Amino acid sequence: MNLVLPKLAVRAASDVAWRSVALQGWGRLGSAPCQAARPERLREAAAALAAQNGRNIIAHGAGRSYGDAALNGGGAALLTGRLDRMLGFDAASGVLVAEPGVTIADVIRVFLPQGFLLPTPPGTAFATLGGAVANDVHGKNQHGAGCFGDHVEWLELMLADGRTRRVSPTQDPVTFQATIGGIGLTGVVTALAVRLLRVPSNAMRVRRQRIGGLDEYLDAFRAARDATWSVGWVDALAGGAALGRGILETAEHAAGSVAVPAEASRRMPFDAPGFLLNPLSVRAFNAAYWRRVPAGGEERVVHANRFLFPLDGIGGWNRLYGWSGFHQFQCLLPEAEAPRGLRRLLETVGEAGAASFLAVLKWMGREGRGMLSFAQGQAIPGFTLALDIPARPCSRALLLRLERVTRDHGGRIYLAKDSALSPQGMVEMYPRLGAFQEVRARLDPAGRFSSDMSRRLGLG
Ligand SMILES: Cc1cc2nc3c(=O)[nH]c(=O)nc-3n(C[C@H](O)[C@H](O)[C@H](O)COP(=O)(O)OP(=O)(O)OC[C@H]3O[C@@H](n4cnc5c(N)ncnc54)[C@H](O)[C@@H]3O)c2cc1C
């Protein structure tokens, strides 16, 4: 495979078109007005960095992070959506070289028919490869396959001065580790080589099983340790003996192919009124949803997209939470702390009556390579719980309580989903933060890469 990439030529600042835009995270918690450039070529991206006129800047992929990781109110954003070329593929090794704006859906559309899948697909295929690097995303196979960065062979990183540098686990490994999961703060990833996963077909055999409560859930996950894929839906409003009940799904690749599902066949046409999601309606929905799976379980063969990206089938589903938006809280607790910690977290949201029907439990078993990877340190192996919390006047106080419980149990909060973590929480939960900051200070002494999230978390 020929991996020679185009040489950069920095064009005049006047060549860059800036537009005033208001960007939002997926949780739609308000918008961040900024100046945005949408380069189509790498030389335009370099020119955009050169032409910031002192403004700070952050890369913005598909905006699928829930909070403020990709926002930069009052500054500049480099939108990567048009840097979306696939540059090379080696079928023998499965290594794909692509620009950062290529989406997971693009990769699946082209390569699943050829027997390749992205190695660690997150729960949405709309995310870009650049975003997958910068949050070191994980999938329902994290316990076996690790995170996205584990499968990256090398990255091209554009620094604040427009120069590009190749980094890999062997070439400038420290910058590589800071960039994997580095929430865009070391530079702009302009190309990457990722090793795709070989699969027998587009089909998956999915087994669903009803789980009656939390302890049973954790045991069921442990029993499913050998499953390639596993994920659990949790009824976050069930209490008493039913606390933590849910539906565990495990899946294996299957032979033979199945029909490709239509893309976003349904769409949320308007912002739902705020009263729609109240504790009564969510409790009723959750109880019915839980009973949907027969007591003895069920098994189905489905297209991989249906299992991997169930929410992508409803376009704009984030409008379900109304105009005021929602937070997502996702934490990872070490295995030994999970029984007590998860119980306390579920009791806290149950008492507040604040959760929605979207609550997901996963098992994580491998440490990520990035200094700020979510899957890290003593929290691995562990369990991760993700909850949607509709934005209400009291939701920030609830998030603070959830942060405290997470800290008490030696856990950490996932930056890709976060909108409320405190600077102190960041320091305690990410022990390699100091090393990360050293790399940043070396690569970008003027601190030109900056975001709403980096300022909120006191990252300089
Ligand atoms: C429905 C849904 C389900 C999800 N499920 C999961 C899941 O199961 N597992 C998981 O790990 N995540 C999950 N996520 C989160 C999502 O995968 C991550 O937030 C991902 O980073 C989004 O990619 P993006 O292209 O939208 O990036 P954005 O949200 O636009 O940006 C995310 C970060 O990446 C940086 N960035 C983007 N492009 C570049 C670049 N070229 N160079 C440098 N930095 C860059 C941004 O600055 C920002 O810090 C889910 C999100 C949704 C909406």
Side-chain angles (χ1 to χ4, degrees), residues 114-246:
Q114 300 180 43
F116 291 94
L117 187 63
L118 208 78
T120 66
T124 178
F126 295 119
T128 64
L129 297 184
V133 168
N135 273 316
D136 197 17
V137 302
H138 60 271
K140 301 169 177 62
N141 57 350
Q142 205 286 341
H143 54 288
C147 298
F148 191 75
D150 295 332
H151 305 271
V152 171
E153 306 263 306
W154 52 259
L155 302 167
E156 294 277 335
L157 185 66
M158 191 177 280
L159 303 173
D161 58 8
R163 281 181 304 126
T164 299
R165 160 188 305 196
R166 181 171 292 198
V167 299
S168 76
T170 51
Q171 188 176 341
D172 196 351
V174 173
T175 303
F176 181 79
Q177 287 165 27
T179 302
I180 299 290
I183 47 171
L185 297 176
T186 59
V188 179
V189 173
T190 54
L192 64 148
V194 58
R195 190 181 294 273
L196 303 185
L197 177 73
R198 237 176 253 285
V199 292
S201 76
N202 67 10
M204 282 187 173
R205 183 176 302 281
V206 180
R207 176 163 168 69
R208 294 197 182 92
Q209 156 186 13
R210 244 200 237 175
I211 306 284
L214 185 61
D215 294 335
E216 184 187 334
Y217 224 144
L218 302 187
D219 287 345
F221 262 108
R222 291 188 191 101
R225 218 174 267 260
D226 293 336
T228 308
W229 305 86
S230 61
V231 62
W233 168 81
V234 181
D235 178 353
L237 292 186
L243 184 118
R245 74 175 175 182

Side-chain angles (χ1 to χ4, degrees), residues 388-404:
D388 280 3
I389 296 178
R392 305 261 154 78
C394 55
S395 40
R396 295 228 167 235
L398 171 64
L399 287 161
L400 204 61
R401 288 205 294 283
L402 297 176
E403 176 182 330
R404 255 187 243 124

Side-chain angles (χ1 to χ4, degrees), residues 13 16 18 35 45-58 72 75-78 159-162 444 447-450:
V16 184
W18 293 94
Q35 293 296 307
L49 289 185
Q52 296 165 67
N53 297 332
R55 279 186 303 252
N56 53 44
I57 190 161
I58 197 72
N72 193 16
L78 193 118
L159 303 173
D161 58 8
D444 181 19
R448 300 180 85 186
F449 290 110
S450 176

Side-chain angles (χ1 to χ4, degrees), residues 172-346:
D172 196 351
V174 173
T175 303
F176 181 79
Q177 287 165 27
T179 302
I180 299 290
I183 47 171
L185 297 176
T186 59
V188 179
V189 173
T190 54
L192 64 148
V194 58
R195 190 181 294 273
L196 303 185
L197 177 73
R198 237 176 253 285
V199 292
S201 76
N202 67 10
M204 282 187 173
R205 183 176 302 281
V206 180
R207 176 163 168 69
R208 294 197 182 92
Q209 156 186 13
R210 244 200 237 175
I211 306 284
L214 185 61
D215 294 335
E216 184 187 334
Y217 224 144
L218 302 187
D219 287 345
F221 262 108
R222 291 188 191 101
R225 218 174 267 260
D226 293 336
T228 308
W229 305 86
S230 61
V231 62
W233 168 81
V234 181
D235 178 353
L237 292 186
L243 184 118
R245 74 175 175 182
I247 298 169
L248 173 65
E249 292 189 334
T250 52
E252 299 299 332
H253 295 281
S257 40
V258 293
V260 180
E263 282 173 27
S265 45
R266 286 158 291 165
R267 172 155 274 285
M268 184 70 199
F270 51 81
D271 291 346
F275 61 80
L276 195 70
L277 288 181
N278 59 66
L280 273 183
S281 63
V282 175
R283 261 183 237 282
F285 175 89
N286 282 3
Y289 190 78
W290 184 72
R291 285 203 178 81
R292 183 183 73 112
V293 172
E298 63 180 13
E299 201 171 272
R300 288 200 187 149
V301 175
V302 299
H303 189 278
N305 285 0
R306 278 217 194 287
F307 172 71
L308 297 172
F309 316 115
L311 290 169
D312 285 357
I314 307 171
W317 63 262
N318 54 348
R319 301 182 75 180
L320 200 62
Y321 294 97
W323 60 267
S324 52
F326 66 108
H327 301 267
Q328 183 164 101
F329 168 83
Q330 181 170 358
C331 71
L332 170 65
L333 298 182
E335 187 177 10
E337 292 291 326
R340 283 192 317 125
L342 290 173
R343 184 170 296 281
R344 278 185 69 197
L345 290 169
L346 289 170

